[in-house]
Short mmCIF file of all heavy atoms in Angstrom, two decimals:
data_model
loop_
_atom_site.label_atom_id
_atom_site.label_comp_id
_atom_site.label_asym_id
_atom_site.label_seq_id
_atom_site.Cartn_x
_atom_site.Cartn_y
_atom_site.Cartn_z
N ILE A 1 0.87 -1.17 0.00
CA ILE A 1 0.00 0.00 0.00
C ILE A 1 0.91 1.22 0.00
O ILE A 1 1.71 1.38 0.92
CB ILE A 1 -0.90 0.04 1.25
CG1 ILE A 1 -1.63 -1.29 1.44
CG2 ILE A 1 -1.89 1.20 1.17
CD1 ILE A 1 -2.27 -1.45 2.80
N LEU A 2 0.82 2.02 -1.03
CA LEU A 2 1.66 3.22 -1.14
C LEU A 2 0.78 4.45 -1.07
O LEU A 2 -0.37 4.45 -1.55
CB LEU A 2 2.44 3.22 -2.46
CG LEU A 2 3.68 2.33 -2.51
CD1 LEU A 2 3.33 0.86 -2.56
CD2 LEU A 2 4.55 2.70 -3.67
N ALA A 3 1.33 5.50 -0.49
CA ALA A 3 0.58 6.75 -0.35
C ALA A 3 1.54 7.92 -0.43
O ALA A 3 2.74 7.79 -0.15
CB ALA A 3 -0.16 6.78 0.99
N ASN A 4 0.99 9.06 -0.82
CA ASN A 4 1.72 10.32 -0.68
C ASN A 4 0.94 11.16 0.33
O ASN A 4 0.03 10.63 1.00
CB ASN A 4 1.89 11.02 -2.04
CG ASN A 4 0.57 11.36 -2.72
OD1 ASN A 4 -0.48 11.48 -2.08
ND2 ASN A 4 0.60 11.51 -4.03
N ASP A 5 1.26 12.42 0.45
CA ASP A 5 0.58 13.24 1.46
C ASP A 5 -0.87 13.52 1.11
O ASP A 5 -1.66 13.91 1.97
CB ASP A 5 1.35 14.54 1.68
CG ASP A 5 2.68 14.30 2.39
OD1 ASP A 5 2.74 13.41 3.26
OD2 ASP A 5 3.65 15.01 2.07
N GLN A 6 -1.25 13.33 -0.17
CA GLN A 6 -2.62 13.61 -0.60
C GLN A 6 -3.56 12.41 -0.49
O GLN A 6 -4.75 12.56 -0.30
CB GLN A 6 -2.65 14.11 -2.06
CG GLN A 6 -2.10 15.51 -2.24
CD GLN A 6 -0.59 15.58 -2.10
OE1 GLN A 6 0.13 14.77 -2.66
NE2 GLN A 6 -0.11 16.52 -1.30
N GLY A 7 -3.02 11.20 -0.67
CA GLY A 7 -3.89 10.03 -0.64
C GLY A 7 -3.16 8.76 -1.02
O GLY A 7 -1.94 8.74 -1.17
N ILE A 8 -3.93 7.71 -1.22
CA ILE A 8 -3.40 6.41 -1.60
C ILE A 8 -3.03 6.46 -3.08
O ILE A 8 -3.85 6.86 -3.92
CB ILE A 8 -4.44 5.29 -1.34
CG1 ILE A 8 -4.93 5.32 0.12
CG2 ILE A 8 -3.88 3.93 -1.72
CD1 ILE A 8 -3.84 5.24 1.16
N THR A 9 -1.81 6.05 -3.40
CA THR A 9 -1.35 6.09 -4.79
C THR A 9 -1.31 4.71 -5.44
O THR A 9 -1.39 4.61 -6.66
CB THR A 9 0.05 6.71 -4.89
OG1 THR A 9 0.97 5.92 -4.11
CG2 THR A 9 0.07 8.14 -4.39
N GLU A 10 -1.18 3.68 -4.63
CA GLU A 10 -1.10 2.34 -5.22
C GLU A 10 -1.42 1.28 -4.16
O GLU A 10 -1.03 1.41 -3.01
CB GLU A 10 0.30 2.09 -5.78
CG GLU A 10 0.44 0.83 -6.57
CD GLU A 10 1.74 0.74 -7.37
OE1 GLU A 10 2.49 1.73 -7.42
OE2 GLU A 10 2.00 -0.34 -7.92
N VAL A 11 -2.11 0.25 -4.60
CA VAL A 11 -2.33 -0.96 -3.81
C VAL A 11 -2.02 -2.09 -4.78
O VAL A 11 -2.71 -2.25 -5.79
CB VAL A 11 -3.76 -1.07 -3.27
CG1 VAL A 11 -3.97 -2.41 -2.57
CG2 VAL A 11 -4.08 0.09 -2.32
N ALA A 12 -0.95 -2.85 -4.51
CA ALA A 12 -0.49 -3.83 -5.48
C ALA A 12 -0.10 -5.14 -4.81
O ALA A 12 0.64 -5.14 -3.82
CB ALA A 12 0.70 -3.28 -6.26
N PHE A 13 -0.60 -6.24 -5.37
CA PHE A 13 -0.19 -7.55 -4.91
C PHE A 13 1.26 -7.75 -5.29
O PHE A 13 1.68 -7.39 -6.38
CB PHE A 13 -1.07 -8.64 -5.52
CG PHE A 13 -2.47 -8.58 -5.00
CD1 PHE A 13 -3.46 -7.91 -5.71
CD2 PHE A 13 -2.80 -9.17 -3.80
CE1 PHE A 13 -4.75 -7.83 -5.22
CE2 PHE A 13 -4.08 -9.10 -3.29
CZ PHE A 13 -5.06 -8.42 -4.00
N GLN A 14 2.04 -8.33 -4.41
CA GLN A 14 3.48 -8.45 -4.62
C GLN A 14 3.90 -9.71 -5.35
O GLN A 14 5.05 -9.83 -5.76
CB GLN A 14 4.22 -8.33 -3.28
CG GLN A 14 4.06 -6.95 -2.68
CD GLN A 14 4.49 -5.88 -3.67
OE1 GLN A 14 5.67 -5.72 -3.92
NE2 GLN A 14 3.55 -5.17 -4.25
N GLN A 15 2.99 -10.63 -5.53
CA GLN A 15 3.30 -11.86 -6.26
C GLN A 15 3.66 -11.51 -7.70
O GLN A 15 2.87 -10.94 -8.43
CB GLN A 15 2.08 -12.77 -6.22
CG GLN A 15 2.27 -14.10 -6.87
CD GLN A 15 1.02 -14.95 -6.70
OE1 GLN A 15 0.19 -14.72 -5.85
NE2 GLN A 15 0.90 -15.96 -7.54
N GLY A 16 4.89 -11.78 -8.07
CA GLY A 16 5.34 -11.51 -9.43
C GLY A 16 5.61 -10.04 -9.72
O GLY A 16 5.77 -9.64 -10.85
N LYS A 17 5.67 -9.22 -8.70
CA LYS A 17 5.89 -7.78 -8.88
C LYS A 17 7.27 -7.39 -8.36
O LYS A 17 8.09 -8.23 -8.06
CB LYS A 17 4.82 -6.99 -8.10
CG LYS A 17 3.42 -7.19 -8.60
CD LYS A 17 3.22 -6.41 -9.86
CE LYS A 17 1.78 -6.52 -10.33
NZ LYS A 17 1.54 -5.86 -11.55
N VAL A 18 7.47 -6.10 -8.20
CA VAL A 18 8.72 -5.57 -7.66
C VAL A 18 8.98 -6.23 -6.32
O VAL A 18 8.07 -6.37 -5.50
CB VAL A 18 8.61 -4.04 -7.47
CG1 VAL A 18 9.85 -3.48 -6.81
CG2 VAL A 18 8.36 -3.37 -8.80
N ALA A 19 10.18 -6.65 -6.10
CA ALA A 19 10.53 -7.32 -4.85
C ALA A 19 10.23 -6.42 -3.66
O ALA A 19 10.44 -5.22 -3.70
CB ALA A 19 12.01 -7.71 -4.85
N ILE A 20 9.74 -7.03 -2.59
CA ILE A 20 9.39 -6.28 -1.39
C ILE A 20 10.59 -5.54 -0.82
O ILE A 20 10.47 -4.43 -0.33
CB ILE A 20 8.75 -7.22 -0.34
CG1 ILE A 20 7.39 -7.71 -0.86
CG2 ILE A 20 8.58 -6.52 0.99
CD1 ILE A 20 6.76 -8.78 -0.04
N ASP A 21 11.80 -6.13 -0.91
CA ASP A 21 12.96 -5.46 -0.36
C ASP A 21 13.27 -4.17 -1.13
O ASP A 21 13.80 -3.22 -0.57
CB ASP A 21 14.18 -6.38 -0.31
CG ASP A 21 14.58 -6.95 -1.66
OD1 ASP A 21 13.72 -7.06 -2.55
OD2 ASP A 21 15.76 -7.29 -1.82
N VAL A 22 12.91 -4.10 -2.41
CA VAL A 22 13.08 -2.85 -3.16
C VAL A 22 12.07 -1.82 -2.65
O VAL A 22 12.40 -0.66 -2.44
CB VAL A 22 12.90 -3.08 -4.68
CG1 VAL A 22 12.88 -1.77 -5.43
CG2 VAL A 22 14.00 -3.99 -5.19
N LEU A 23 10.83 -2.25 -2.44
CA LEU A 23 9.82 -1.33 -1.92
C LEU A 23 10.19 -0.83 -0.53
O LEU A 23 9.86 0.29 -0.16
CB LEU A 23 8.45 -2.02 -1.85
CG LEU A 23 7.70 -2.12 -3.16
CD1 LEU A 23 6.42 -2.92 -2.96
CD2 LEU A 23 7.39 -0.76 -3.74
N ALA A 24 10.87 -1.66 0.24
CA ALA A 24 11.25 -1.27 1.60
C ALA A 24 12.09 0.01 1.60
O ALA A 24 12.08 0.76 2.57
CB ALA A 24 11.99 -2.40 2.29
N ASP A 25 12.80 0.28 0.51
CA ASP A 25 13.58 1.51 0.42
C ASP A 25 12.69 2.75 0.51
O ASP A 25 13.13 3.82 0.90
CB ASP A 25 14.37 1.57 -0.88
CG ASP A 25 15.46 0.50 -0.94
OD1 ASP A 25 15.84 -0.03 0.12
OD2 ASP A 25 15.92 0.20 -2.06
N TYR A 26 11.42 2.59 0.12
CA TYR A 26 10.48 3.71 0.14
C TYR A 26 9.74 3.83 1.46
O TYR A 26 9.09 4.84 1.72
CB TYR A 26 9.45 3.58 -0.98
CG TYR A 26 10.05 3.70 -2.35
CD1 TYR A 26 10.30 2.59 -3.12
CD2 TYR A 26 10.37 4.96 -2.86
CE1 TYR A 26 10.85 2.70 -4.39
CE2 TYR A 26 10.92 5.08 -4.13
CZ TYR A 26 11.16 3.95 -4.88
OH TYR A 26 11.70 4.06 -6.13
N CYS A 27 9.76 2.78 2.23
CA CYS A 27 8.97 2.77 3.46
C CYS A 27 9.52 3.75 4.49
O CYS A 27 10.72 3.87 4.68
CB CYS A 27 8.93 1.35 4.06
SG CYS A 27 8.01 0.20 3.03
N VAL A 28 8.60 4.42 5.13
CA VAL A 28 8.92 5.38 6.18
C VAL A 28 8.41 4.78 7.48
O VAL A 28 7.39 4.09 7.49
CB VAL A 28 8.23 6.73 5.88
CG1 VAL A 28 8.43 7.71 6.99
CG2 VAL A 28 8.76 7.30 4.57
N ASP A 29 9.07 5.05 8.56
CA ASP A 29 8.68 4.54 9.87
C ASP A 29 7.18 4.75 10.10
O ASP A 29 6.63 5.80 9.79
CB ASP A 29 9.48 5.26 10.96
CG ASP A 29 9.22 4.66 12.32
OD1 ASP A 29 8.15 4.96 12.89
OD2 ASP A 29 10.05 3.91 12.81
N ALA A 30 6.52 3.73 10.65
CA ALA A 30 5.07 3.75 10.84
C ALA A 30 4.60 4.95 11.66
O ALA A 30 3.48 5.40 11.52
CB ALA A 30 4.60 2.46 11.51
N GLN A 31 5.45 5.49 12.52
CA GLN A 31 5.07 6.66 13.31
C GLN A 31 4.89 7.89 12.43
O GLN A 31 4.28 8.86 12.83
CB GLN A 31 6.11 6.93 14.38
CG GLN A 31 6.22 5.82 15.40
CD GLN A 31 7.42 6.00 16.32
OE1 GLN A 31 8.26 6.86 16.11
NE2 GLN A 31 7.49 5.16 17.33
N GLN A 32 5.41 7.84 11.21
CA GLN A 32 5.32 8.98 10.32
C GLN A 32 4.25 8.81 9.24
O GLN A 32 4.12 9.67 8.38
CB GLN A 32 6.68 9.22 9.65
CG GLN A 32 7.78 9.55 10.63
CD GLN A 32 9.13 9.67 9.92
OE1 GLN A 32 9.21 9.89 8.73
NE2 GLN A 32 10.19 9.52 10.68
N TYR A 33 3.51 7.71 9.25
CA TYR A 33 2.48 7.49 8.23
C TYR A 33 1.44 8.59 8.29
O TYR A 33 0.99 8.98 9.38
CB TYR A 33 1.74 6.17 8.47
CG TYR A 33 2.45 4.91 8.05
CD1 TYR A 33 1.91 3.69 8.39
CD2 TYR A 33 3.62 4.91 7.31
CE1 TYR A 33 2.51 2.51 8.02
CE2 TYR A 33 4.23 3.73 6.93
CZ TYR A 33 3.67 2.53 7.29
OH TYR A 33 4.27 1.36 6.92
N PRO A 34 0.96 9.05 7.13
CA PRO A 34 -0.19 9.95 7.15
C PRO A 34 -1.43 9.16 7.61
O PRO A 34 -1.49 7.93 7.43
CB PRO A 34 -0.32 10.41 5.71
CG PRO A 34 0.47 9.46 4.89
CD PRO A 34 1.47 8.81 5.79
N THR A 35 -2.38 9.84 8.15
CA THR A 35 -3.58 9.21 8.68
C THR A 35 -4.27 8.33 7.65
O THR A 35 -4.75 7.25 7.96
CB THR A 35 -4.56 10.28 9.20
OG1 THR A 35 -3.89 11.09 10.14
CG2 THR A 35 -5.79 9.67 9.83
N HIS A 36 -4.30 8.79 6.38
CA HIS A 36 -5.01 8.01 5.36
C HIS A 36 -4.32 6.68 5.06
O HIS A 36 -4.98 5.74 4.66
CB HIS A 36 -5.27 8.82 4.08
CG HIS A 36 -4.07 9.44 3.48
ND1 HIS A 36 -3.69 10.72 3.76
CD2 HIS A 36 -3.15 8.96 2.61
CE1 HIS A 36 -2.59 11.01 3.08
NE2 HIS A 36 -2.24 9.95 2.38
N LEU A 37 -3.02 6.57 5.27
CA LEU A 37 -2.36 5.28 5.08
C LEU A 37 -2.73 4.34 6.22
O LEU A 37 -3.05 3.16 6.00
CB LEU A 37 -0.85 5.41 4.96
CG LEU A 37 -0.09 4.09 4.71
CD1 LEU A 37 -0.64 3.31 3.54
CD2 LEU A 37 1.39 4.38 4.50
N ASP A 38 -2.74 4.84 7.44
CA ASP A 38 -3.19 4.03 8.57
C ASP A 38 -4.63 3.55 8.35
O ASP A 38 -4.96 2.40 8.61
CB ASP A 38 -3.12 4.82 9.88
CG ASP A 38 -1.71 4.99 10.41
OD1 ASP A 38 -0.86 4.11 10.14
OD2 ASP A 38 -1.44 6.00 11.09
N GLU A 39 -5.47 4.45 7.83
CA GLU A 39 -6.86 4.10 7.59
C GLU A 39 -6.98 3.07 6.46
O GLU A 39 -7.81 2.16 6.53
CB GLU A 39 -7.68 5.36 7.25
CG GLU A 39 -9.17 5.13 7.15
CD GLU A 39 -9.84 4.60 8.41
OE1 GLU A 39 -9.33 4.83 9.54
OE2 GLU A 39 -10.89 3.95 8.27
N ALA A 40 -6.14 3.17 5.44
CA ALA A 40 -6.15 2.18 4.35
C ALA A 40 -5.76 0.81 4.88
O ALA A 40 -6.38 -0.21 4.51
CB ALA A 40 -5.20 2.62 3.24
N ILE A 41 -4.76 0.76 5.74
CA ILE A 41 -4.34 -0.51 6.35
C ILE A 41 -5.51 -1.11 7.12
O ILE A 41 -5.83 -2.30 6.98
CB ILE A 41 -3.12 -0.31 7.26
CG1 ILE A 41 -1.90 0.12 6.44
CG2 ILE A 41 -2.82 -1.57 8.08
CD1 ILE A 41 -0.77 0.72 7.27
N LYS A 42 -6.19 -0.30 7.90
CA LYS A 42 -7.34 -0.75 8.69
C LYS A 42 -8.46 -1.25 7.79
O LYS A 42 -9.00 -2.34 7.99
CB LYS A 42 -7.84 0.40 9.57
CG LYS A 42 -9.09 0.10 10.37
CD LYS A 42 -9.52 1.34 11.16
CE LYS A 42 -10.82 1.14 11.86
NZ LYS A 42 -11.97 1.52 11.04
N GLN A 43 -8.81 -0.45 6.78
CA GLN A 43 -9.93 -0.83 5.91
C GLN A 43 -9.62 -2.07 5.07
O GLN A 43 -10.49 -2.92 4.89
CB GLN A 43 -10.31 0.35 5.01
CG GLN A 43 -10.99 1.47 5.79
CD GLN A 43 -11.52 2.60 4.92
OE1 GLN A 43 -11.83 2.40 3.74
NE2 GLN A 43 -11.63 3.80 5.48
N LEU A 44 -8.39 -2.20 4.58
CA LEU A 44 -8.04 -3.40 3.81
C LEU A 44 -7.99 -4.64 4.70
O LEU A 44 -8.40 -5.73 4.28
CB LEU A 44 -6.71 -3.19 3.09
CG LEU A 44 -6.81 -2.32 1.83
CD1 LEU A 44 -5.44 -1.84 1.40
CD2 LEU A 44 -7.52 -3.06 0.71
N THR A 45 -7.54 -4.49 5.93
CA THR A 45 -7.56 -5.60 6.89
C THR A 45 -9.00 -6.04 7.12
O THR A 45 -9.30 -7.25 7.14
CB THR A 45 -6.86 -5.19 8.20
OG1 THR A 45 -5.50 -4.85 7.92
CG2 THR A 45 -6.91 -6.31 9.23
N GLU A 46 -9.90 -5.09 7.29
CA GLU A 46 -11.32 -5.41 7.48
C GLU A 46 -11.89 -6.09 6.23
O GLU A 46 -12.67 -7.04 6.34
CB GLU A 46 -12.11 -4.13 7.79
CG GLU A 46 -11.80 -3.54 9.14
CD GLU A 46 -12.38 -2.15 9.35
OE1 GLU A 46 -12.89 -1.53 8.38
OE2 GLU A 46 -12.32 -1.67 10.50
N TYR A 47 -11.50 -5.62 5.05
CA TYR A 47 -11.96 -6.23 3.79
C TYR A 47 -11.56 -7.70 3.74
O TYR A 47 -12.38 -8.57 3.46
CB TYR A 47 -11.37 -5.46 2.60
CG TYR A 47 -11.59 -6.16 1.28
CD1 TYR A 47 -12.80 -6.03 0.58
CD2 TYR A 47 -10.60 -6.98 0.73
CE1 TYR A 47 -13.00 -6.69 -0.62
CE2 TYR A 47 -10.80 -7.63 -0.47
CZ TYR A 47 -12.00 -7.49 -1.14
OH TYR A 47 -12.19 -8.16 -2.33
#
């Protein structure tokens, strides 16, 4: 689940996609997530 300061930019299954370790370079500490990314995590977990 990727986001910028405005909203969710991408939700992508990782099977056959860019390696997760490459994406990890973009990850920011969870304490710095914008509220909408936390909410996306919650809503997708509920889904």
Side-chain angles (χ1 to χ4, degrees):
I1 309 166
L2 282 72
N4 60 23
D5 290 324
Q6 288 73 47
I8 305 305
T9 60
E10 188 168 352
V11 175
F13 292 96
Q14 294 306 287
Q15 183 177 341
K17 296 284 184 182
V18 176
I20 293 171
D21 58 334
V22 172
L23 281 175
D25 293 341
Y26 293 102
C27 293
V28 175
D29 186 283
Q31 296 170 351
Q32 298 175 21
Y33 282 172
T35 305
H36 54 266
L37 182 52
D38 285 332
E39 187 60 26
I41 294 164
K42 176 182 175 270
Q43 289 186 27
L44 283 164
T45 300
E46 292 169 350
Y47 170 83

